[in-house]
Amino acid sequence: MKIGFIGLGNMGAPMAANLMKAGHAVTGFDLVADMPDGVAKAESAAAAAEGQEVVITMLPNGAILRAVADEVLPGMAAGSVLLDCSTVDVDSARAVAEQAEAKGVLALDAPVSGGIGGAAAGTLTFMVGGKDAAFAIAAPLFDIMGQKAVHCGASGAGQAAKICNNMILGATMAVTCEAFALADKLGLDRGKMFDVVSTSSGYSWSMNAYCPAPGVGPQSPADNDYKPGFAAELMLKDLRLSQQAAEAVDADTPMGQRATELYDAFVTHENGQGLDFSALLPRFAAKGRDRG
Ligand code: NAD
């Protein structure tokens, strides 16, 4: 397939490289990042997108996605696919899809789970919103870049799935970290705590697969001085998107709201920026009870 790829940062570059290695012709554009070997460099987003069968975007946020869509859609042919893999707000995903469909371009929102490691290994999970016809065209590309693609529904459904998943993740990691800090103060050994909880009803991905306590459970960023991994500021971005969406549809999400406040304080005021999102554990361990 002839593919345009816009936004070749930490995630986009290895995704584009995997498509190229699988035999697709990939033309890329990024404002700053270099192209991986074998990916042709275009001089603008519009040039990267023109005449391609599929245009993939992997960009920081919804405002940038909207601006890039304005730039690329005029040069895209009817029946081609605009495949956005960024994590953005549901409204931006739907607005871009409407704009694309008005031109006869098929649109998919397909945010990913699996991080930089999954992007490099081609084992991402895609959560996809958009029409069946668009999903069918993109499916072979999902197979190359990922291990699983779930067609969640109409435009915006992929972003909805992503922010609901990450709201669960943020709240679950926060409570897992605070439980370890409580266990410390109760004199309970962290290893014993892991042995019990990982096989009891408090188990979760945060505890079992990504344990926030160093030296306990499987290897995780906690064992590497909390270097990300999944950075706290990226978790904060996703939690904010969840709260923006909850506000828009009048959904009551108190745990997601509290997790957002916690990660906001951690990233903005407590030196959490640049640390893994599981670094809430040393933060809780160093603090006493908030009596405010
Ligand atoms: P990144 O900042 O490394 O990459 C974004 C790239 O977009 C940068 O190279 C930047 O130069 C480029 N860019 C920005 N504006 C542009 C424009 N107008 N035209 C062309 N290029 C432009 O970010 P990332 O970690 O690769 O994340 C990309 C997306 O994937 C984000 O939406 C993020 O939330 C999501 N995501 C990231 C991870 C992760 O672990 N990093 C995991 C899942 C989802």
Side-chain angles (χ1 to χ4, degrees):
M1 248 186 233
K2 285 178 64 196
I3 299 172
F5 206 115
I6 299 161
L8 291 94
N10 290 321
M11 296 290 290
M15 291 163 72
N18 284 336
L19 292 171
M20 191 272 303
K21 281 181 210 145
H24 294 291
V26 185
T27 303
F29 174 71
D30 192 290
L31 287 179
V32 292
D34 292 330
M35 296 300 115
D37 283 347
V39 173
K41 182 178 165 57
E43 289 310 312
S44 67
E50 187 157 6
Q52 308 286 9
E53 296 166 82
V54 176
V55 174
I56 302 177
T57 46
M58 194 52 167
L59 296 162
N61 61 48
I64 294 175
L65 171 66
R66 288 179 193 238
V68 167
D70 283 343
E71 223 186 306
V72 302
L73 280 169
M76 289 181 66
S80 62
V81 176
L82 179 59
L83 169 57
D84 177 46
C85 298
S86 331
T87 304
V88 304
D89 56 289
V90 176
D91 284 350
S92 291
R94 290 191 175 140
V96 165
E98 263 177 42
Q99 195 184 347
E101 275 156 22
K103 276 213 69 216
V105 171
L106 298 162
L108 292 172
D109 52 290
V112 302
S113 166
I116 298 166
T123 56
L124 295 169
T125 296
F126 290 85
M127 306 152 222
V128 190
K131 296 215 163 79
D132 288 342
F135 186 84
I137 295 171
L141 306 182
F142 294 141
D143 284 345
I144 294 164
M145 296 185 286
Q147 60 179 351
K148 186 171 173 144
V150 180
H151 191 184
C152 299
S155 291
Q159 298 296 348
K162 169 81 185 174
I163 58 177
C164 288
N165 180 73
N166 280 23
M167 187 174 81
I168 294 171
L169 176 61
T172 308
M173 181 56 85
V175 76
T176 302
C177 290
E178 69 185 27
F180 267 115
L182 172 61
D184 288 347
K185 293 196 175 177
L186 293 172
L188 174 61
D189 176 76
R190 287 182 173 185
K192 301 290 180 201
M193 161 96 166
F194 175 83
D195 277 353
V196 171
V197 175
S198 65
T199 52
S200 299
S201 46
Y203 85 100
S204 68
W205 186 87
S206 296
M207 174 62 83
N208 291 39
Y210 206 95
C211 182
V216 175
Q219 278 284 318
S220 69
D223 300 305
N224 191 24
D225 292 330
Y226 294 100
K227 291 198 187 76
F230 183 42
E233 59 267 28
L234 289 179
M235 173 48 83
L236 176 59
K237 172 193 168 179
D238 294 356
L239 284 167
R240 283 183 174 147
L241 289 175
S242 76
Q243 294 312 290
Q244 189 182 335
E247 184 69 36
V249 297
D250 192 26
D252 187 23
T253 55
M255 306 302 286
Q257 189 178 346
R258 188 69 189 109
T260 310
E261 291 163 3
L262 268 170
Y263 276 101
D264 193 357
F266 185 53
V267 168
T268 317
H269 305 298
E270 298 168 359
N271 301 319
Q273 175 111 20
L275 293 178
D276 189 73
F277 83 121
S278 61
L280 275 187
L281 171 50
R283 181 258 188 211
F284 281 123
K287 264 176 79 86
R289 194 160 175 77
D290 186 350
R291 296 178 197 278

